[in-house]
Amino acid sequence: MGCYEEERSVDQRKKHPISLTMSLFNASALFIMLLMYGIATASTEGVNTIIPDSSQEGAVLGPVVSELAVSQSSFGPHSSLNFMSAFTEDLEGSDYCVELLRIFGQRYVSNVNCLVSNARPVQVCENCLVHYSSLIEIYTNISSDQMGPGNVSCRDSLLRSDRLMLIYLLYDNLEEIWTTSGCDHCVNKGLNQLTNDTFYFMAVLNQTLSCFEKYQQQGNHTELCKECKVTYKGLNELYGRMEKNSTLCIDIEDTMNMTRRQWSKNFNCSLPREETVPVIAVSSFMLFLPIIFYLSSFLHSEQKKRKLIHPKRAKSSTSLMNIQDKFS
């Protein structure tokens, strides 16, 4: 019995360090949990102390909201007016230059509307002459060195004040359209009326179209081709002369193309050209030229053969007569 108790005490002493270690581990874990709980509580209290009540919230956020409202109102729908009023003061003689800019915009819009309205059929040179002339006038006032009221020139402030040079680009586009259309060939140098050649072409064109309309109503295209042949031929000849003299513009070209399409496609008429006669004659001559060449060569060779054979026969007959004389 005593031996058993000694062994049990020895075993308890061996197990005592293990239990001591476990106790220390549990205590450390409990201490860490308490520490974390204290930190969490302190942070919650800190947040609660920072958040104001409803009465203080308005007092604190009020200046911030009002400041944001002021900053946003500066970029509202009327901010462009503020910018415009601020920047136009930088223009030299702003009232005069702004007035020129306004007139240029109005005339530019009217010119573009005229071009679009007369795009088909093309009549831009005839119907948009007045609009283009007025646009040139206002652009000349803007781009010239001539001083306006108060000895002010708007050329630099309106044309060269930025990299885009929008006024110049807008005018240059319309000028390119006018030049490409060849309108300078149909109007005089003063840009106030059409040339005499253009007026005469329009008169002949009206006569031709009137003839077309007269016989088209009757529904007899054969009679139309016969009766309108003279006027249509005169219109073609006039167009050819104007083309050689470089007096055509896009209005005349487009009108003539539509008239020719109407004559040949719609009415199925034809107009023989005078230049086809010499072409046919030359083609016929070139076609028969080899036949003439070979025929002449054949006749010449036959005649040459006859000339070569005839002396031989004469010589043989002469020698035969000499032989006969000797024996006789």
Side-chain angles (χ1 to χ4, degrees):
M1 188 70 178
C3 293
Y4 177 74
E5 290 177 355
E6 288 180 357
E7 291 176 358
R8 184 177 180 182
S9 62
V10 171
D11 294 334
Q12 290 177 354
R13 287 195 296 268
K14 290 180 179 179
K15 294 179 179 180
H16 180 70
I18 298 175
S19 62
L20 182 61
T21 303
M22 293 295 293
S23 299
L24 291 174
F25 178 77
N26 293 331
S28 299
L30 181 60
F31 177 75
I32 292 173
M33 291 177 64
L34 292 173
L35 181 62
M36 293 178 64
Y37 177 77
I39 294 172
T41 304
S43 62
T44 305
E45 292 176 355
V47 172
N48 292 332
T49 56
I50 293 174
I51 298 176
D53 56 3
S54 59
S55 61
Q56 294 176 351
E57 182 179 359
V60 174
L61 297 179
V64 178
V65 174
S66 62
E67 184 178 354
L68 290 175
V70 172
S71 61
Q72 290 177 358
S73 65
S74 62
F75 295 98
H78 302 288
S79 61
S80 61
L81 298 178
N82 296 331
F83 290 153
M84 186 66 183
S85 62
F87 290 146
T88 51
E89 293 178 356
D90 295 337
L91 295 175
E92 297 178 357
S94 59
D95 295 337
Y96 175 66
C97 296
V98 170
E99 182 64 18
L100 289 180
L101 189 62
R102 184 187 64 82
I103 297 174
F104 177 84
Q106 291 179 349
R107 295 183 180 182
Y108 186 89
V109 171
S110 63
N111 200 345
V112 172
N113 290 334
C114 181
L115 291 176
V116 174
S117 302
N118 294 276
R120 293 303 307 161
V122 182
Q123 293 179 338
V124 295
C125 299
E126 180 181 1
N127 295 338
C128 300
L129 174 60
V130 177
H131 300 283
Y132 184 72
S133 178
S134 63
L135 183 67
I136 291 179
E137 181 183 0
I138 188 62
Y139 183 80
T140 303
N141 292 335
I142 294 175
S143 61
S144 64
D145 293 332
Q146 185 177 0
M147 297 298 177
N151 293 328
V152 173
S153 176
C154 300
R155 182 183 62 179
D156 295 334
S157 59
L158 294 180
L159 298 180
R160 303 178 181 178
S161 59
D162 55 81
R163 178 178 60 85
L164 183 60
M165 297 189 297
L166 183 60
I167 304 300
Y168 170 76
L169 289 178
L170 293 174
Y171 175 77
D172 185 65
N173 289 334
L174 292 184
E175 186 180 29
E176 184 178 359
I177 293 175
W178 184 267
T179 303
T180 306
S181 302
C183 294
D184 291 334
H185 300 156
C186 293
V187 300
N188 58 3
K189 294 182 179 180
L191 297 178
N192 51 16
Q193 65 177 2
L194 300 176
T195 60
N196 295 330
D197 292 339
T198 305
F199 277 124
Y200 182 68
F201 177 85
M202 293 299 179
V204 177
L205 175 66
N206 290 332
Q207 293 178 1
T208 305
L209 295 180
S210 298
C211 184
F212 288 173
E213 185 178 1
K214 176 182 178 181
Y215 292 97
Q216 186 180 7
Q217 293 177 354
Q218 299 177 3
N220 190 351
H221 290 177
T222 303
E223 193 70 17
L224 185 148
C225 297
K226 179 180 179 181
E227 297 297 332
C228 301
K229 179 179 179 181
V230 177
T231 55
Y232 178 75
K233 182 179 179 181
L235 182 66
N236 263 305
E237 293 176 352
L238 177 60
Y239 182 84
R241 291 194 300 268
M242 295 181 67
E243 187 176 10
K244 292 180 180 179
N245 298 331
S246 300
T247 56
L248 295 179
C249 60
I250 189 62
D251 294 11
I252 297 178
E253 293 175 4
D254 187 71
T255 303
M256 193 64 202
N257 289 335
M258 290 189 299
T259 305
R260 286 175 173 175
R261 190 182 304 114
Q262 200 173 14
W263 171 265
S264 59
K265 186 177 180 180
N266 296 348
F267 303 146
N268 198 21
C269 299
S270 60
L271 185 66
R273 298 182 178 180
E274 296 179 356
E275 57 267 20
T276 56
V277 176
V279 170
I280 295 175
V282 173
S283 300
S284 302
F285 175 76
M286 296 298 294
L287 180 63
F288 288 100
L289 186 61
I291 299 175
I292 297 173
F293 173 77
Y294 285 112
L295 182 60
S296 60
S297 299
F298 176 76
L299 295 176
H300 182 72
S301 61
E302 289 294 330
Q303 186 177 4
K304 193 172 183 180
K305 285 181 180 179
R306 290 177 182 177
K307 289 182 179 180
L308 292 174
I309 294 173
H310 182 71
K312 290 182 179 180
R313 290 179 179 178
K315 184 177 180 180
S316 59
S317 60
T318 306
S319 58
L320 181 60
M321 291 176 61
N322 293 331
I323 293 172
Q324 290 178 356
D325 292 335
K326 289 181 180 179
F327 285 102
S328 59

